[in-house]
Amino acid sequence: LARNPPRARLPYPLPSHHLGRPTYRRFASSAPLRSPLWWPRQAPPLFSARAMSGSAGSPPYAAELAAAKKAVALAARLCQTVQQEILQSDIQSKADKSPVTVADYVHVGSQVLVSLALNMEVTSGSFSMVAEEDSEDLRKDSAEEILEHITDLVNETLAEDGSYNITLSKEGILSAIDTGKSEGGPSGRHWVLDPIDGTKGFLRGGQYAIALALLDEGKVVLGVLGCPNLPLASISNLNGSSSGDQMGALFSATVGCGAEVESLEGSPPQKISVCTIDNPVNASFFESYEGAHTMHDLTGSIAEKLGVQAPPVRIDSQAKYGALARGDGAIYLRFPHKGYKEKIWDHAAGAIVVTEAGGVVTDASGNDLDFSKGRFLDVDTGIIATNKQLMPSLLKSVQEAIKEKSQAPSPL
Ligand SMILES: Nc1ncnc2c1ncn2[C@@H]1O[C@H](COP(=O)(O)O)[C@@H](O)[C@H]1OP(=O)(O)O
Ligand SMILES: [Mg+2]
Ligand SMILES: [Mg+2]
Ligand SMILES: [Mg+2]
C-alpha cells in the first residue's frame, strides 16, 4: 500500500497555495494548465522508491537506497535539460553571461530536488545533509531573476516526473538548499551530496555526476552515482565511446551488498566488479580531464614506475569511480595541487561503489578515507583506487614518486 506523502515533515514550508496544481511558466504559451491527475507525462516517473521501502526481510538500508536512486535520477533529469539548453545556445561564449551563473543554477536545482525527494521518501528519523551549495548568493537582491528561473526549472522537472504533487515557492527553494548545511561528523546519519560533480565537464558537454551517499556513525553505508553522459555499457576502448548506445549510468552500492549499475530510467540492476588485471603493463589509469586538477609530473612518474604503458584516460568527475568499479579501467589517480582540500561529497559515493565492487580506495599512505571528520577529508597527498591485486605495487610506486618529487630541486 502506498503511503501518503509525508508533507508535514518537510524541513521547509510549503504554503498550501503552493501545493496542488503546478504552474508551467516556460510551457505556458504552448500548453494550457491541466490537472496533474491526467497530465500526460512526457516520461514515466523514475523508480518507485516508496513501493520498495520497509518490506520485512529487505537488505539493510533498502529504503534509503531506493530513495537515493530516485533522488539522483530526478536531479539528473534537471541536469540533462539544462545541459542540452547550454549546448544548444552559445551561452558560454557570450561575454555578458558568466557560465558560473549557469553552473550555479543547475547546482541549486539539483540539490533542491535531491533534498525534496529524500524528504518525501524517507520518513523515519531526522534529516541531515552535508551538501556543496548554500543559499547565500541566491538571497541577494541581484539574484532575484535567477532564483525565479531556478524555481521554474525545479517545478517543471517535478511536474514532468509526476511523482510528487508539489510546487515550490522561491522561499521553499531557498529553504530546501539550506537543508544541506549539516557538518556531518562521526555520529548519527547524514546524507552527503555533490549536486553536480565535475562542473567543468558539465559545462563542456562532457562527463559529470550527481553523487549522493549516506553516512551512518561516520561510515559510508550507501552511495549512488548518476552519470547522465556515461554509456550504460562498458567503455570498451577507453575513449569514452562504448559498444552499446544507451547513455546514462546509475551506479549504486550498499555496504556488504556489492555494487550495481542500471540505467537512469531504472532498468534491471546488474552486479559490477572491478577488473582482475594483475600486471600493470596491461593496466590503464583514469585521471581528471581538467589539467589544472592534477599534478601531472607526479601521476606521470607513478605510471612510469608502475610500468603502465597506456596513456591516461581523462574523464571528469566521480564518473571515474563508476567506470573503475565496472572494470572499464584499472587505476584511478587523484593528485590535486598542494593546498587543495578534498571535500567528503567528492568521494563518498564513488568510494563505496568501488569498494563494494571489490576495489580498494586509500590515500597516498594507504590509509582508508575517513568520512567522519566533517565536511573535509584529511588525506595524505592524494587518493588512489584500484583492485586488490594491483594495490600493493601501486602504493609502492606512489610512495616512491612522492619521495622523489619532494627531493627534487624546486624550480626557481
Ligand atoms: N583545483 C582543483 N583541483 C582539484 N579538484 C578540483 C579543483 N577545483 C574543483 N575541483 C573539484 O574536482 C572535482 C572534479 O573532479 P575531476 O577533476 O576529477 O573532474 C569536483 O569535485 C570539482 O568540484 P565541482 O564538484 O564543483 O565540479
Ligand atoms: Mg565535486
Ligand atoms: Mg559540485
Ligand atoms: Mg563546485
Short mmCIF file of all heavy atoms in Angstrom, two decimals, residues 365-402:
data_model
loop_
_atom_site.label_atom_id
_atom_site.label_comp_id
_atom_site.label_asym_id
_atom_site.label_seq_id
_atom_site.Cartn_x
_atom_site.Cartn_y
_atom_site.Cartn_z
N SER A 365 49.22 7.26 1.55
CA SER A 365 49.91 6.45 2.56
C SER A 365 49.26 5.09 2.75
O SER A 365 49.66 4.32 3.62
CB SER A 365 49.90 7.15 3.92
OG SER A 365 50.59 8.35 3.85
N GLY A 366 48.18 4.84 2.02
CA GLY A 366 47.48 3.56 2.16
C GLY A 366 46.40 3.58 3.22
O GLY A 366 45.83 2.54 3.56
N ASN A 367 46.10 4.79 3.76
CA ASN A 367 45.04 4.88 4.77
C ASN A 367 43.67 4.90 4.10
O ASN A 367 43.49 5.55 3.06
CB ASN A 367 45.16 6.19 5.57
CG ASN A 367 46.49 6.30 6.27
OD1 ASN A 367 46.93 5.36 6.93
ND2 ASN A 367 47.15 7.45 6.11
N ASP A 368 42.70 4.24 4.75
CA ASP A 368 41.31 4.36 4.31
C ASP A 368 40.86 5.81 4.41
O ASP A 368 41.36 6.56 5.27
CB ASP A 368 40.38 3.51 5.20
CG ASP A 368 40.60 2.02 4.97
OD1 ASP A 368 41.18 1.67 3.93
OD2 ASP A 368 40.20 1.22 5.85
N LEU A 369 39.91 6.21 3.58
CA LEU A 369 39.38 7.57 3.68
C LEU A 369 38.45 7.64 4.89
O LEU A 369 37.64 6.75 5.11
CB LEU A 369 38.62 7.94 2.40
CG LEU A 369 39.39 7.79 1.08
CD1 LEU A 369 38.58 8.36 -0.08
CD2 LEU A 369 40.77 8.44 1.14
N ASP A 370 38.60 8.71 5.67
CA ASP A 370 37.81 8.88 6.89
C ASP A 370 36.76 9.97 6.65
O ASP A 370 37.10 11.15 6.57
CB ASP A 370 38.73 9.23 8.05
CG ASP A 370 38.00 9.36 9.37
OD1 ASP A 370 36.74 9.31 9.36
OD2 ASP A 370 38.67 9.51 10.42
N PHE A 371 35.51 9.54 6.52
CA PHE A 371 34.42 10.48 6.19
C PHE A 371 33.76 11.05 7.44
O PHE A 371 32.74 11.73 7.34
CB PHE A 371 33.38 9.78 5.31
CG PHE A 371 33.91 9.47 3.93
CD1 PHE A 371 34.47 8.22 3.64
CD2 PHE A 371 33.88 10.43 2.93
CE1 PHE A 371 34.96 7.94 2.37
CE2 PHE A 371 34.38 10.17 1.65
CZ PHE A 371 34.91 8.91 1.37
N SER A 372 34.33 10.79 8.61
CA SER A 372 33.65 11.16 9.86
C SER A 372 34.13 12.48 10.44
O SER A 372 33.76 12.86 11.54
CB SER A 372 33.89 10.05 10.90
OG SER A 372 35.23 10.13 11.37
N LYS A 373 34.98 13.21 9.68
CA LYS A 373 35.63 14.39 10.28
C LYS A 373 34.97 15.71 9.91
O LYS A 373 35.59 16.76 10.01
CB LYS A 373 37.09 14.42 9.82
CG LYS A 373 37.91 13.23 10.29
CD LYS A 373 38.90 13.65 11.37
CE LYS A 373 39.60 12.50 12.01
NZ LYS A 373 40.76 12.04 11.26
N GLY A 374 33.75 15.66 9.38
CA GLY A 374 33.11 16.90 8.97
C GLY A 374 33.08 17.03 7.46
O GLY A 374 33.10 16.03 6.75
N ARG A 375 33.08 18.24 6.96
CA ARG A 375 32.88 18.46 5.51
C ARG A 375 34.14 18.15 4.70
O ARG A 375 34.05 17.93 3.50
CB ARG A 375 32.41 19.90 5.25
CG ARG A 375 31.02 20.15 5.83
CD ARG A 375 30.62 21.61 5.82
NE ARG A 375 30.23 22.12 4.52
CZ ARG A 375 28.99 22.06 4.01
NH1 ARG A 375 28.02 21.47 4.67
NH2 ARG A 375 28.72 22.58 2.84
N PHE A 376 35.28 18.17 5.34
CA PHE A 376 36.53 17.93 4.60
C PHE A 376 37.09 16.53 4.88
O PHE A 376 36.83 15.93 5.91
CB PHE A 376 37.58 18.98 4.97
CG PHE A 376 37.21 20.35 4.50
CD1 PHE A 376 36.61 21.26 5.36
CD2 PHE A 376 37.44 20.75 3.18
CE1 PHE A 376 36.24 22.52 4.93
CE2 PHE A 376 37.08 22.01 2.74
CZ PHE A 376 36.48 22.89 3.61
N LEU A 377 37.91 16.07 3.91
CA LEU A 377 38.63 14.81 4.09
C LEU A 377 40.07 15.17 4.39
O LEU A 377 40.63 16.07 3.76
CB LEU A 377 38.64 14.04 2.76
CG LEU A 377 37.51 13.11 2.40
CD1 LEU A 377 37.76 12.57 1.00
CD2 LEU A 377 37.35 11.98 3.40
N ASP A 378 40.67 14.43 5.32
CA ASP A 378 42.05 14.71 5.67
C ASP A 378 42.89 13.60 5.02
O ASP A 378 43.01 12.51 5.56
CB ASP A 378 42.17 14.69 7.20
CG ASP A 378 43.56 15.07 7.65
OD1 ASP A 378 44.33 15.58 6.81
OD2 ASP A 378 43.87 14.83 8.83
N VAL A 379 43.43 13.87 3.82
CA VAL A 379 44.17 12.82 3.13
C VAL A 379 45.62 13.20 2.92
O VAL A 379 45.96 14.38 2.80
CB VAL A 379 43.56 12.47 1.74
CG1 VAL A 379 42.21 11.83 1.89
CG2 VAL A 379 43.49 13.68 0.83
N ASP A 380 46.48 12.19 2.90
CA ASP A 380 47.88 12.43 2.61
C ASP A 380 48.08 12.52 1.09
O ASP A 380 47.91 11.53 0.38
CB ASP A 380 48.73 11.30 3.20
CG ASP A 380 50.20 11.43 2.80
OD1 ASP A 380 50.60 12.54 2.37
OD2 ASP A 380 50.93 10.43 2.87
N THR A 381 48.39 13.68 0.61
CA THR A 381 48.80 13.97 -0.78
C THR A 381 47.75 13.71 -1.86
O THR A 381 47.53 14.57 -2.72
CB THR A 381 50.10 13.20 -1.16
OG1 THR A 381 50.97 13.21 -0.05
CG2 THR A 381 50.79 13.86 -2.34
N GLY A 382 47.13 12.56 -1.87
CA GLY A 382 46.16 12.29 -2.94
C GLY A 382 45.38 11.03 -2.65
O GLY A 382 45.51 10.43 -1.58
N ILE A 383 44.55 10.65 -3.60
CA ILE A 383 43.69 9.48 -3.43
C ILE A 383 43.95 8.51 -4.59
O ILE A 383 44.08 8.92 -5.74
CB ILE A 383 42.20 9.91 -3.39
CG1 ILE A 383 41.95 10.75 -2.13
CG2 ILE A 383 41.27 8.69 -3.42
CD1 ILE A 383 40.59 11.39 -2.05
N ILE A 384 44.03 7.23 -4.24
CA ILE A 384 44.25 6.21 -5.28
C ILE A 384 43.20 5.11 -5.13
O ILE A 384 42.76 4.81 -4.02
CB ILE A 384 45.68 5.60 -5.20
CG1 ILE A 384 45.98 5.03 -3.81
CG2 ILE A 384 46.72 6.66 -5.55
CD1 ILE A 384 47.36 4.39 -3.69
N ALA A 385 42.82 4.56 -6.26
CA ALA A 385 41.83 3.47 -6.24
C ALA A 385 42.22 2.46 -7.30
O ALA A 385 42.61 2.83 -8.41
CB ALA A 385 40.44 4.02 -6.52
N THR A 386 42.11 1.19 -6.95
CA THR A 386 42.39 0.12 -7.91
C THR A 386 41.85 -1.20 -7.37
O THR A 386 41.11 -1.21 -6.37
CB THR A 386 43.90 0.04 -8.24
OG1 THR A 386 44.10 -0.92 -9.28
CG2 THR A 386 44.73 -0.36 -7.03
N ASN A 387 42.20 -2.31 -8.01
CA ASN A 387 41.76 -3.60 -7.49
C ASN A 387 42.75 -4.11 -6.43
O ASN A 387 43.82 -3.50 -6.21
CB ASN A 387 41.55 -4.62 -8.62
CG ASN A 387 42.85 -4.93 -9.36
OD1 ASN A 387 43.94 -4.69 -8.83
ND2 ASN A 387 42.76 -5.42 -10.57
N LYS A 388 42.41 -5.22 -5.79
CA LYS A 388 43.25 -5.71 -4.68
C LYS A 388 44.59 -6.22 -5.17
O LYS A 388 45.59 -6.12 -4.46
CB LYS A 388 42.51 -6.80 -3.91
CG LYS A 388 41.34 -6.22 -3.13
CD LYS A 388 40.65 -7.24 -2.24
CE LYS A 388 39.58 -6.56 -1.42
NZ LYS A 388 38.22 -7.00 -1.71
N GLN A 389 44.61 -6.77 -6.41
CA GLN A 389 45.86 -7.32 -6.94
C GLN A 389 46.90 -6.22 -7.19
O GLN A 389 48.09 -6.40 -6.94
CB GLN A 389 45.61 -8.06 -8.27
CG GLN A 389 44.68 -9.27 -8.17
CD GLN A 389 43.21 -8.89 -8.41
OE1 GLN A 389 42.71 -7.93 -7.83
NE2 GLN A 389 42.52 -9.67 -9.23
N LEU A 390 46.46 -5.11 -7.75
CA LEU A 390 47.41 -4.06 -8.13
C LEU A 390 47.77 -3.11 -6.99
O LEU A 390 48.75 -2.37 -7.07
CB LEU A 390 46.83 -3.23 -9.30
CG LEU A 390 46.79 -3.91 -10.67
CD1 LEU A 390 45.98 -3.08 -11.66
CD2 LEU A 390 48.21 -4.12 -11.22
N MET A 391 46.94 -3.07 -5.92
CA MET A 391 47.14 -2.06 -4.89
C MET A 391 48.55 -2.06 -4.27
O MET A 391 49.16 -0.99 -4.13
CB MET A 391 46.06 -2.17 -3.81
CG MET A 391 45.98 -0.97 -2.88
SD MET A 391 46.08 0.63 -3.74
CE MET A 391 44.61 1.45 -3.25
N PRO A 392 49.11 -3.21 -3.89
CA PRO A 392 50.44 -3.16 -3.26
C PRO A 392 51.49 -2.50 -4.15
O PRO A 392 52.25 -1.63 -3.69
CB PRO A 392 50.77 -4.63 -3.01
CG PRO A 392 49.44 -5.32 -2.95
CD PRO A 392 48.56 -4.59 -3.90
N SER A 393 51.55 -2.87 -5.43
CA SER A 393 52.57 -2.25 -6.28
C SER A 393 52.23 -0.80 -6.60
O SER A 393 53.13 0.04 -6.74
CB SER A 393 52.81 -3.07 -7.56
OG SER A 393 51.60 -3.49 -8.12
N LEU A 394 50.94 -0.48 -6.70
CA LEU A 394 50.56 0.93 -6.93
C LEU A 394 51.02 1.79 -5.76
O LEU A 394 51.63 2.85 -5.94
CB LEU A 394 49.05 1.05 -7.14
CG LEU A 394 48.51 2.48 -7.25
CD1 LEU A 394 49.14 3.23 -8.43
CD2 LEU A 394 46.99 2.51 -7.40
N LEU A 395 50.73 1.31 -4.55
CA LEU A 395 51.09 2.07 -3.35
C LEU A 395 52.61 2.30 -3.29
O LEU A 395 53.08 3.40 -2.96
CB LEU A 395 50.61 1.29 -2.13
CG LEU A 395 50.37 2.06 -0.85
CD1 LEU A 395 49.49 3.28 -1.07
CD2 LEU A 395 49.68 1.13 0.17
N LYS A 396 53.35 1.30 -3.64
CA LYS A 396 54.81 1.40 -3.62
C LYS A 396 55.27 2.46 -4.64
O LYS A 396 56.08 3.33 -4.32
CB LYS A 396 55.41 0.02 -3.98
CG LYS A 396 56.89 -0.10 -3.79
CD LYS A 396 57.30 -1.59 -3.77
CE LYS A 396 58.79 -1.75 -3.99
NZ LYS A 396 59.17 -1.78 -5.41
N SER A 397 54.72 2.40 -5.84
CA SER A 397 55.10 3.38 -6.86
C SER A 397 54.71 4.80 -6.45
O SER A 397 55.45 5.76 -6.69
CB SER A 397 54.41 3.06 -8.19
OG SER A 397 54.72 1.75 -8.59
N VAL A 398 53.54 4.92 -5.84
CA VAL A 398 53.07 6.24 -5.40
C VAL A 398 54.05 6.82 -4.37
O VAL A 398 54.47 7.97 -4.46
CB VAL A 398 51.64 6.13 -4.79
CG1 VAL A 398 51.28 7.35 -3.96
CG2 VAL A 398 50.60 5.90 -5.89
N GLN A 399 54.44 5.98 -3.42
CA GLN A 399 55.31 6.49 -2.36
C GLN A 399 56.71 6.83 -2.89
O GLN A 399 57.30 7.83 -2.49
CB GLN A 399 55.34 5.50 -1.19
CG GLN A 399 53.99 5.60 -0.45
CD GLN A 399 53.75 4.50 0.56
OE1 GLN A 399 54.60 3.64 0.78
NE2 GLN A 399 52.59 4.54 1.19
N GLU A 400 57.19 6.04 -3.81
CA GLU A 400 58.49 6.35 -4.42
C GLU A 400 58.42 7.66 -5.22
O GLU A 400 59.31 8.50 -5.13
CB GLU A 400 58.91 5.22 -5.38
CG GLU A 400 59.51 4.01 -4.67
CD GLU A 400 59.71 2.84 -5.64
OE1 GLU A 400 59.75 3.06 -6.87
OE2 GLU A 400 59.81 1.71 -5.13
N ALA A 401 57.36 7.81 -5.97
CA ALA A 401 57.22 9.01 -6.80
C ALA A 401 57.10 10.27 -5.94
O ALA A 401 57.68 11.31 -6.25
CB ALA A 401 56.01 8.88 -7.72
N ILE A 402 56.36 10.15 -4.84
CA ILE A 402 56.20 11.31 -3.95
C ILE A 402 57.54 11.67 -3.31
O ILE A 402 57.92 12.84 -3.22
CB ILE A 402 55.14 11.03 -2.85
CG1 ILE A 402 53.74 10.98 -3.50
CG2 ILE A 402 55.18 12.09 -1.76
CD1 ILE A 402 52.63 10.55 -2.56
#
